[in-house]
Amino acid sequence: DKEAAERCTTVYLVERRTDMLPGLLTTDICSLRGGVERLTFSVIWEMTRDAEIVNTRFCKAIIKSAAALSYAEAQARIDDPADRSKLTASLRELNRVAKIIRAERTRKGALELA
């Protein structure tokens, strides 16, 4: 706890990161890993096709990630027209929704730092 309080946040640098929490927590216990069940406190959003939130609920849940992908691996799946897997279809749908949400934030004047 003391070490985490001193670090305050995980710092990401090119090709490396300094974690706020001990390695066992960040790489295993608190990390989403493909095929491994995790206890969570989840926010469930029901959304329209245009990414408008029509219902929100909070609940305790057990989740099981289908895969642990790097950003590059996820992007490669999204970009590969031959990949018709269920996982890739889900990534494409999440990407579509993220673009709508990002565009709306920008329209409302969100600050772009990068």
Side-chain angles (χ1 to χ4, degrees):
D1 287 347
K2 184 178 179 183
E3 185 176 341
E6 288 174 5
R7 292 185 190 180
C8 295
T9 188
T10 297
V11 177
Y12 292 90
L13 303 170
V14 176
E15 302 289 330
R16 151 181 108 102
R17 73 179 193 212
T18 302
D19 293 317
M20 176 178 78
L21 300 172
L24 179 61
L25 291 176
T26 59
T27 61
D28 185 20
I29 297 170
C30 296
S31 183
L32 295 177
R33 299 173 61 208
V36 177
E37 290 185 347
R38 296 290 191 215
L39 300 175
T40 67
F41 190 78
S42 299
V43 178
I44 310 295
W45 284 331
E46 183 180 340
M47 304 172 94
T48 67
R49 195 81 186 125
D50 296 323
E52 293 177 46
I53 299 170
V54 295
N55 191 29
T56 302
R57 69 183 171 101
F58 302 87
C59 62
K60 293 178 181 178
I62 299 173
I63 63 169
K64 187 178 192 180
S65 297
L69 304 174
S70 68
Y71 291 115
E73 290 168 331
Q75 191 63 55
R77 284 175 166 271
I78 290 168
D79 294 341
D80 181 0
D83 189 339
R84 304 220 184 272
S85 68
K86 183 177 178 181
L87 175 61
T88 299
S90 293
L91 289 171
R92 289 183 183 129
E93 179 62 11
L94 287 170
N95 191 44
R96 183 191 71 76
V97 170
K99 286 177 181 179
I100 293 169
I101 293 169
R102 189 176 303 113
E104 182 63 10
R105 288 185 65 235
T106 300
R107 187 188 71 74
K108 290 180 176 179
L111 178 64
E112 293 270 340
L113 298 176

